[in-house]
Amino acid sequence: MRIGLVQITTSDDKADNLRLASEKIREAADKGATLIVCPEATSQAFDSGRLDTQAEELDGPFATGLRELARELGVTIVAGMFRPADSQGEINRVYNTALITGNGLHEGYDKIHTFDTARYQESKTVRPGTDLHTFTHEGVTVGVAICFDIRYPEQFKQLAREGAKVIVVPTSWADGENKVEQWNILSRARALDAGVFIMAPDQARPGGSAEAGKNSGPTGVGHSMAVAPDGRILAEGGYEPEVIVVDIDPDEAAKQQEALPLL
C-alpha cells in the first residue's frame, strides 16, 4: 500500500485551502499514493477566526470538492474539516471531523479527545465526538484518530482490536518547548501499543523553521510521521510544507500484533 502524507499550512479561507490541498493531493497521487492523508483543520486553520462561520456538512463545497477529486484520481482522501454541532450560549460549536472520501466512501470521524489544557480549551468551540471509526482501503482496515487523540493509547488499541492495521492521524500540533519531541514519541508509542502503522500528517509550521520552538496555538509544527508497527520511523517531515509518500506492507502489523500480543 502506498500512502501519501500532505504537510501544508492552511489559512482562514476555505476555498483557498481546498485549492491548496487539491494541488498537493494531486502531487501525492502522481507519485502513486492511493490513500492520501491531509492534516487536521485542512478546511480552515485554527487561530484564524470563528470556525462555525465556515463549518459545513459532508454535502458542503469543501467535502464534495474533495469527493470529486478523489473520484477523478481514483484515490481515498482523508482531510480535516469542521461540521456544525451545537450551541452553548452565544457560542456555536463545531465537530472537528476527519473526512474520508473516495472509492465508494464519503464519511467522517469526529475527534473524541479535544485539546483541553491549561492554556487552550478546544471544547469551548468544538464538541467532542463519541464513536470510534474505521474504514476499508485495498482490503485493509484503517482506523482514524485526530491530533490530541494520540495521547490516549486505549483508543488506538481498541481500533486495533477492531481490525485496524493502519491508523491515520490528521494533526495540527501546537509548538513550544519539547513539543516536536513529544509528538515524535507519542506517534511511535501508539504504533507500539497497538502494533499498527501510524500515518500522521501535521500542518506545516507557520513561518517555517524560523519560528520553530516558539510557543503557539495548535497551528502545526510539521514533522509529519510515518511509523511502522515496531516503532521504526519510516519517514518524518521537517517544518516546511512537503508531500511524503511511503510504501507499507499491512501484513507487518498482523505479525507485530502476534509477536507482541498487547491487545
Side-chain angles (χ1 to χ4, degrees):
M1 182 185 297
R2 182 164 289 184
I3 301 176
L5 304 181
V6 171
Q7 180 170 294
I8 52 177
T9 300
T10 56
S11 69
D12 62 350
D13 190 302
K14 187 167 62 173
D16 284 348
N17 294 332
L18 176 58
R19 286 190 288 270
L20 173 62
S22 297
E23 175 186 337
K24 299 306 179 182
I25 289 166
R26 288 183 184 278
E27 182 178 334
D30 287 344
K31 294 178 179 178
T34 60
L35 173 59
I36 302 170
V37 192
C38 299
E40 179 186 26
T42 295
S43 67
Q44 180 185 346
F46 285 114
D47 290 355
S48 69
R50 289 175 52 167
L51 300 175
D52 62 312
T53 59
Q54 295 191 78
E56 65 177 60
E57 295 293 356
L58 298 186
D59 59 356
F62 180 84
T64 57
L66 288 183
R67 180 176 62 189
E68 292 165 6
L69 179 64
R71 183 184 298 121
E72 174 193 341
L73 299 176
V75 301
T76 299
I77 297 168
V78 181
M81 59 175 288
F82 301 101
R83 299 188 304 112
D86 62 13
S87 295
Q88 293 199 334
E90 296 181 354
I91 297 176
N92 299 320
R93 293 200 301 178
V94 298
Y95 287 113
N96 184 339
T97 299
L99 168 71
I100 304 107
T101 190
N103 292 309
L105 301 170
H106 193 69
E107 56 200 39
Y109 159 73
D110 297 327
K111 182 180 181 181
I112 293 173
H113 299 99
T114 51
F115 181 47
D116 289 352
T117 70
R119 293 193 299 123
Y120 195 96
Q121 293 288 311
E122 185 181 10
S123 61
K124 288 183 177 179
T125 56
V126 174
R127 179 176 177 174
T130 57
D131 299 325
L132 299 180
H133 195 97
T134 65
F135 65 95
T136 302
H137 179 75
E138 296 181 352
V140 176
T141 300
V142 180
V144 190
I146 297 175
C147 198
F148 202 61
D149 285 334
I150 209 163
R151 290 189 177 272
Y152 295 83
E154 189 56 35
Q155 179 172 349
F156 288 73
K157 293 177 74 173
Q158 185 58 36
L159 287 168
R161 292 186 190 105
E162 295 182 10
K165 299 298 184 284
V166 180
I167 299 178
V168 296
V169 193
T171 295
S172 187
W173 202 251
D175 200 358
E177 186 178 3
N178 297 322
K179 284 290 191 176
V180 170
E181 290 81 0
Q182 291 174 21
W183 167 240
N184 182 296
I185 290 167
L186 288 164
S187 299
R188 300 177 74 184
R190 295 299 82 84
L192 286 165
D193 291 334
V196 298
F197 289 92
I198 297 293
M199 296 288 145
D202 189 20
Q203 291 262 351
R205 178 61 166 97
S209 56
E211 298 296 316
K214 298 178 182 178
N215 288 338
S216 72
T219 52
V221 293
H223 292 269
S224 297
M225 297 290 292
V227 186
D230 61 3
R232 287 176 296 118
I233 297 174
L234 302 176
E236 180 177 359
Y239 290 103
E240 312 290 339
E242 60 183 301
V243 173
I244 298 168
V245 173
V246 294
D247 290 309
I248 68 164
D249 178 359
D251 288 342
E252 288 184 26
K255 293 175 182 176
Q256 178 70 13
Q257 290 168 357
E258 182 178 356
L260 195 62
L262 300 177
L263 305 177

